[in-house]
Amino acid sequence: MKFIKYFVVFTLVFASCKSKKNLMSGSMVAEKMSAKKVARKHIASNFDKKSIDAKLKASFNNGKLKQSISVSLKMKKDEVIWLKGTKFITVFKAKITPTSVKFYSPYAKNYFDGDFSMLKKLLGTDINFNQLQNLLLGQSVMNVKEEKQNITIENNSYVLSPESQSLLFDIFFAVNPSHFKLDKQSIVNAQKNQRLDVFYPSYKLIDNAVFPSKIQIKAKQPGKFTNIDFTVKSVVFNTELNTSFSMPKGYKQIKL
């Protein structure tokens, strides 16, 4: 009896591990499914760890500045996003909470201490803390279950879009049929010729969590663009984090 019991447990564990690996293989085909079911599965795939401590490689290009740096990312879910960029020396530090954005650069000797207007200028669209957090985790920046969605299948992704799009912009979410995280999300303002596209070329299964291993952010405005690429080098979850942040004195304030 003990042998049978252990055999059953082993079989279940093995099958679970195998199914999770299959999720990451990208071999699933997007078959016909209702928008409601895809939305429900996407919400169910939401990241459920308490904290993230990651090392990233980041590439930045806005036509005037092109640079690659190392970035430390610390995130306490729903509380704080802490960033530090280095290239031989500290290039910048930032601390983002639901109510504020703080940033300073020892390299440029400037700082910003205010609201999310800085991120709006960078990305070309209004964004709050929860939306930024979701953007970094491969989740939709808007709740796809709050209103009815249209659904199509494009490039083997389920593409959700609200039946009633906003008067200010159109929004689209391409959902992966294997793990139901995002392949892409887009916010488009045709009247102002602005768009924000966020691509998720690959994910990794880490500690039973599906986590983006690459993120590509492309923001376009008339006469202006910003491209930011992130590649995850290492990441651990649910550790104690130090997100202390103190603004230096004597730096020039960034005014938007």
Side-chain angles (χ1 to χ4, degrees):
M1 290 296 295
K2 284 186 177 181
F3 173 78
I4 293 174
K5 177 182 177 182
Y6 292 143
F7 178 76
V8 171
V9 171
F10 173 80
T11 302
L12 291 173
V13 171
F14 178 78
S16 175
C17 292
K18 186 176 180 181
S19 64
K20 287 182 179 296
K21 288 181 179 179
N22 287 340
L23 288 180
M24 305 309 300
S25 68
S27 60
M28 297 291 291
V29 176
E31 299 178 347
K32 188 176 180 180
M33 190 179 295
S34 70
K36 187 175 181 179
K37 186 173 182 179
V38 172
R40 185 171 67 249
K41 283 180 171 287
H42 175 62
I43 296 297
S45 75
N46 197 12
F47 185 79
D48 62 356
K49 306 297 183 182
K50 294 181 179 179
S51 69
I52 298 168
D53 191 354
K55 303 296 183 184
L56 317 173
K57 178 183 178 182
S59 298
F60 178 89
N61 182 11
N62 65 0
K64 299 177 181 178
L65 175 65
K66 189 174 183 180
Q67 191 174 53
S68 294
I69 61 174
S70 298
V71 174
S72 296
L73 165 67
K74 298 180 181 181
M75 181 189 297
K76 294 181 182 178
K77 195 164 184 285
D78 302 326
E79 293 182 28
V80 61
I81 299 171
W82 183 98
L83 298 158
K84 177 182 178 182
T86 58
K87 189 170 185 177
F88 306 114
I89 62 170
T90 298
V91 178
F92 74 88
K93 283 187 178 181
K95 184 175 183 178
I96 305 166
T97 69
T99 58
S100 68
V101 175
K102 299 179 184 292
F103 164 94
Y104 72 87
S105 171
Y107 176 77
K109 295 292 189 295
N110 56 16
Y111 76 95
F112 177 85
D113 187 356
D115 57 19
F116 282 77
S117 57
M118 183 178 193
L119 294 178
K120 179 181 179 181
K121 183 176 181 181
L122 178 66
L123 299 176
T125 187
D126 284 309
I127 191 167
N128 59 35
F129 179 87
N130 186 62
Q131 290 170 331
L132 177 63
Q133 179 177 260
N134 283 358
L135 185 151
L136 294 172
L137 296 174
Q139 291 294 129
S140 56
V141 296
M142 294 187 177
N143 191 334
V144 292
K145 289 180 66 177
E146 283 186 344
E147 54 185 288
K148 290 184 178 180
Q149 304 284 326
N150 291 317
I151 186 169
T152 59
I153 296 177
E154 300 176 18
N155 300 318
N156 200 40
S157 296
Y158 296 110
V159 179
L160 299 177
S161 58
E163 286 188 0
S164 300
Q165 291 277 19
S166 166
L167 294 175
L168 299 177
F169 55 82
D170 295 330
I171 190 163
F172 305 91
F173 306 107
V175 181
N176 189 288
S178 296
H179 45 66
F180 290 89
K181 303 288 278 186
L182 293 184
D183 288 328
K184 178 186 177 182
Q185 53 186 323
S186 301
I187 302 173
V188 182
N189 186 328
Q191 291 183 342
K192 293 186 177 181
N193 195 23
Q194 297 174 329
R195 68 178 297 143
L196 172 67
D197 294 297
V198 185
F199 301 87
Y200 304 89
S202 61
Y203 287 83
K204 287 184 178 180
L205 183 64
I206 304 170
D207 194 16
N208 286 321
V210 180
F211 191 78
S213 55
K214 289 187 178 181
I215 304 174
Q216 298 171 341
I217 301 172
K218 300 183 183 297
K220 292 183 180 180
Q221 303 178 60
K224 182 180 179 181
F225 74 91
T226 302
N227 294 341
I228 308 172
D229 294 349
F230 293 110
T231 301
V232 175
K233 295 300 183 180
S234 66
V235 61
V236 292
F237 305 133
N238 294 345
T239 59
E240 292 295 324
L241 299 179
N242 179 2
T243 58
S244 60
F245 187 94
S246 58
M247 200 77 77
K249 297 181 179 180
Y251 284 14
K252 183 179 179 180
Q253 184 177 9
I254 298 173
K255 296 183 179 179
L256 301 180

